Amino acid sequence: MSMQTVIIGLGYVGLPLAREATMAGLNVIGLDVNSGVTSALNNGRSHIDDLSDRDINDMLKHGFSATTDSRVLAEADVAVICVPTPLSNEGGPDLRAVVGAVSMIAENIHKGMLVILESTTYPGTTDEVVRPILEAQGLTAGVDFSLAFSPERIDPGNSSFGAKNTPKVVGGHTDACTSEAAEFYEQFVDRTVRTKGTREAEMAKLLENTYRHVNIALVNEMARFCHDLEIDLWDVIEAAKSKPFGFQAFYPGPGVGGHCIPIDPNYLSHNVKSRLGYPFRFVELAQEVNSRMPAYVVERAQDILNAREKALKGSRVLLLGVTYKPNIADQRESPAKEVAERLLAKGSVVEYHDPFVQDWDAVPTALRTEDLAVGVAGADLTILLQNHRTYDVASLAERAISFFDTRGEVDSDGAGITRL
């Protein structure tokens, strides 16, 4: 009889995980508090970029089902928590969804159960927050049930790496817990990487994203002074990345967005300051640099228009791509929102185009451009914020009166073209 697995949270992390486990032959039930999500899934409709309706229907044919009824946990051999941990007002992770999921498990916990937390958080959460709630029922982690942390590493829109072939980091409350969790994942992922414990696994995820956060901040800062020094940073990066060792290319942009980079390093910074009493200065500086990039984009936009003796106020500015990364519909923490709001505050008429976003609810006063060619030709300034694969950027830049490329996709020597 196959292992019964309940995956709590059916978003961009939980649903791909559920698919891999289901297609590997495990008996998988998805548990979510949103009845609209569970109903849609049970009717074969996907709500995330990485899985199609066909993928969901394949899952259903292999026995997957979704529910809002937490009583399914009473029969579960494994419970995997994949709920969101947004940034709290204090700067750390908001653990309310995690606590809610763990509380549901605690009400149904039984001997022999394996509980795994995947939600990104600060080091110590599994042991200090999750374990006490589970043990309040009288069972002991590492003795009566197994407990582990395995950070999600989903990269939405990545066609090369997904839940199956991205190595799975696993750290348990005890060595036996680590082994049990690793053996669970090894049924449907290609490789597991075992750490010494839960804290090491929790910290590994934060290190990964802090590394990206800091290096993106480095090139964003360089973009500002290279512009002032009349140095082409894009050409500099191309030259530097020719070195076959000791260098990894990062690129500047209008800011950072998404579910990880602008948020996760702050968990670590907050944890260091609250526990140790001193700041994690690299993270705080990186956050400062990256968070001011939308304002810098607007400053540069104003300079571009001024050079043509036009004011930002009253000018039509068209934003191309408002999602946080290319070729997906995800808008979480997208810097496009702040760029648009700052332009609107200065009196610009803001229009946008994005093949993945029909209604930009984050900026309801921005006007959607339906005909891209007409919109570009009529805008006083077109700003490329996200380069979706459907955009012929070179052609759009040629049509534009002024074109501001924040992604380094076109030759800056072209007439009317400016790169970040």
Side-chain angles (χ1 to χ4, degrees), residues 8-24:
I8 307 174
L10 298 175
Y12 74 94
V13 175
L15 198 53
L17 187 75
R19 173 169 171 75
E20 295 301 334
T22 299
M23 302 310 284

Side-chain angles (χ1 to χ4, degrees), residues 302-376:
Q302 190 166 17
D303 291 343
I304 292 167
L305 288 168
N306 283 344
R308 293 178 43 231
E309 299 183 349
K310 286 192 68 70
L312 193 55
K313 183 176 182 179
S315 291
R316 290 176 59 191
V317 180
L318 173 61
L319 306 180
L320 300 182
V322 299
T323 59
Y324 89 86
K325 66 180 298 187
N327 309 318
I328 64 172
D330 201 330
Q331 303 170 42
R332 283 174 296 175
E333 308 297 325
S334 172
K337 178 177 182 292
E338 185 177 345
V339 171
E341 289 173 343
R342 286 180 175 273
L343 289 168
L344 288 165
K346 290 182 178 293
S348 299
V349 177
V350 176
E351 302 175 4
Y352 78 95
H353 180 276
D354 194 303
F356 297 91
V357 179
Q358 294 300 313
D359 298 306
W360 197 13
D361 296 332
V363 189
T365 52
L367 307 173
R368 178 174 172 80
T369 294
E370 298 296 338
D371 189 318
L372 184 54
V374 172
V376 169

Side-chain angles (χ1 to χ4, degrees), residues 216 219-220 223 233-234 237 250-254 293 406-407 420:
I216 290 169
V219 292
N220 277 336
L233 177 60
W234 304 97
I237 294 171
F250 288 83
Y251 298 91
M293 288 306 291
T406 71
R407 296 293 179 178
L420 186 66

Side-chain angles (χ1 to χ4, degrees), residues 213-223 225 233 286 289-290:
H213 189 49
V214 169
N215 280 282
I216 290 169
L218 171 65
V219 292
N220 277 336
E221 186 79 341
M222 291 187 75
F225 67 70
L233 177 60
V289 170
N290 288 333

Side-chain angles (χ1 to χ4, degrees), residues 124-143:
T125 301
T126 306
D127 190 56
E128 298 164 11
V129 177
V130 175
R131 184 168 63 87
I133 297 173
L134 297 176
E135 291 186 335
Q137 304 301 313
L139 300 182
T140 302
V143 177

Side-chain angles (χ1 to χ4, degrees), residues 394 397-398 401-405 410-419:
E398 287 180 5
I401 297 171
S402 288
F403 192 87
F404 184 21
D405 176 12
V410 294
D411 189 341
S412 60
D413 294 332
I417 298 173
T418 304
R419 288 198 292 184

